[in-house]
Amino acid sequence: MYICSCLPFSLVYFLQTGEGWKGKELLVPLRLSKKRLRNRMETKIINDPIWGPIELHPLCIRIIDTPQFQRLRSIKQLGGCSFVYPGACHTRFEHSIGTSYLARRLGQELQKKIAAEQLNELEITDEEILCLEVAGLCHDLGHGPFSHLFDLQFFKKAKPGETWEHEDASIKMIQGIFEIIQQDYVNDEEIKFIADLVKQTDETCTEKRETKPFLYEIIANDLNKIDVDKWDYFSRDCHMLGLHHNFQCERSIKVARLVKHNGKYHISFPKSEYFNLFDMFYTRFTLHRRAYQHSVTKAVEMMIADAFLNADESLMFPPNQTEQWCLSETVKDMRAYLWVTDDILNQIRTLNPDGNDKIKKAQEIVDRIYRRDFYKVIGEKRVKWRDESKSLPKNCLKKWMEEKLTTDKDLFEIQISDMLPAKFQQIYFRLVWKGDTSPQSYQKILLEFSKLKGYDDKDIKVDFIDTMQVDDSEKSD
């Protein structure tokens, strides 16, 4: 019960007990519709460590209380980063709730600005704001174990000829959720719109994309990468990693407005917001350099991916069912994919290795992880394109570099690390040694790697700049 502090004590007592009120009949006009009144009664408030009290719409509560969403509790936001930063144990669960909250905040702020400027043709309805809130909540449902490790490292190696992104699984999860929950908040067209906000397809919501393109810039902004998804994980990751940042997304939300550009309205910010947005991109660079692309983080994730690859055909989901899928095939059936979480790393340790060399190899890698006997980054080169050069796909440079190194391919891997968006990108090639970590074991390949100074082939001209100081004792004579 909500009690107004300005009511007389006797009335407060009456509201609490039903006794003792001698005054006039109390009439409370209800101006809310039955649906809105029910929404208010079913709303819950949770306390978030980043954004404080967050009010959840009843539909969001029903989505959260499903196996598809609860699964996110077992998927770390930063993959293997917790092996470097012990505090980096937060999950996709809380990030998704934070993104939903910010999506609603930005949507409501734009709704006010549109009404104030009387841009009636751009009106954002309450139903569209709810769709934004749900899309923010569900945008990461499709992430696999250790987040991006699953789709960017494991799946690409397990299924090199197939194209799959975690957003594809998110859309399937969304469809599955709305098949099992009872709700009358959104209709079929709005469910399609929610899925389209997560990943745009050619078949759906084409009219809304043309008339209100700014709605697609709130959760995943392909135009300039300024969106609420990043705002939440920048703030949340810095908090959990213990890193300082100056960016204030609350300010950006307050000053955001719609501006017409090339015939379409887009989310824009005033010139006074320049330094705050600069801080946002600098925060992104800092997180990549100090956490996401940290050499130990990437080495650990490479080990986890290798363990998954070796155990792939022995990990079957869902358990105790007649129809099962191996780990790399679970993306085809969401009933199986529901079981695919970070827990798989410990499941590998329980497999029976009798007569199976791949399981033994996977278990050896997992044991090395828990002994902190990690793969070792023994070299790193930054790519510098010459002014007259045309760009070359990163994977082509990686393949060329691997061919120049004559050591057994099972003992090393060239890893690509991107530090900034494509327009300002900094590409690093890291030489990761998987074998014995004594310097004598990798002297030959380290010498070969150190001799790679550039790539020059017709229109492609690249210089490689060494970024790691290598002790002369680690090079062969």
Side-chain angles (χ1 to χ4, degrees), residues 98-110:
T99 302
S100 173
Y101 165 73
L102 292 180
R104 184 183 74 223
R105 284 274 312 276
L106 182 54
Q108 289 174 338
E109 195 65 37
L110 293 175

Side-chain angles (χ1 to χ4, degrees), residues 134-197:
V134 173
L137 192 69
C138 298
H139 78 287
D140 275 348
L141 285 176
H143 267 296
F146 297 94
S147 293
H148 289 293
L149 180 153
F150 185 82
D151 51 342
L152 298 183
Q153 295 192 51
F154 164 69
F155 190 84
K156 284 188 175 181
K157 293 178 182 178
K159 303 289 182 182
E162 296 185 19
T163 301
W164 177 84
E165 298 175 327
H166 73 268
E167 290 89 354
D168 299 322
S170 294
I171 291 175
K172 290 182 180 179
M173 291 276 195
I174 291 170
Q175 294 168 346
I177 285 175
F178 280 102
E179 288 174 1
I180 62 174
I181 65 172
Q182 294 182 349
Q183 60 85 29
D184 58 358
Y185 299 101
V186 292
N187 56 37
D188 291 343
E189 286 301 314
E190 288 166 340
I191 293 173
K192 291 180 181 178
F193 176 48
I194 291 168
D196 206 48
L197 287 169

Side-chain angles (χ1 to χ4, degrees), residues 83 146 303-304 307-308 310-312 314-315 317 327 341-354 356 358-373:
F83 287 90
F146 297 94
M303 294 179 79
I304 296 172
F308 286 177
N310 281 281
D312 184 16
S314 300
L315 293 167
F317 305 94
L327 179 59
T341 65
D342 292 4
D343 298 335
I344 290 176
L345 196 62
N346 285 321
Q347 289 181 35
I348 291 175
R349 306 175 85 180
T350 66
L351 294 174
N352 184 355
D354 290 347
N356 192 320
K358 284 192 171 184
I359 292 180
K360 290 180 181 179
K361 179 65 175 176
Q363 291 177 338
E364 288 173 3
I365 294 172
V366 175
D367 288 341
R368 283 186 64 180
I369 291 173
Y370 286 112
R371 294 198 311 269
R372 294 190 67 82
D373 179 18

Side-chain angles (χ1 to χ4, degrees), residues 238-251:
C238 284
H239 177 79
M240 300 307 293
L241 293 168
L243 300 178
H244 178 72
H245 74 97
N246 294 320
F247 171 64
Q248 297 177 321
C249 72
E250 294 94 338
R251 173 184 168 86

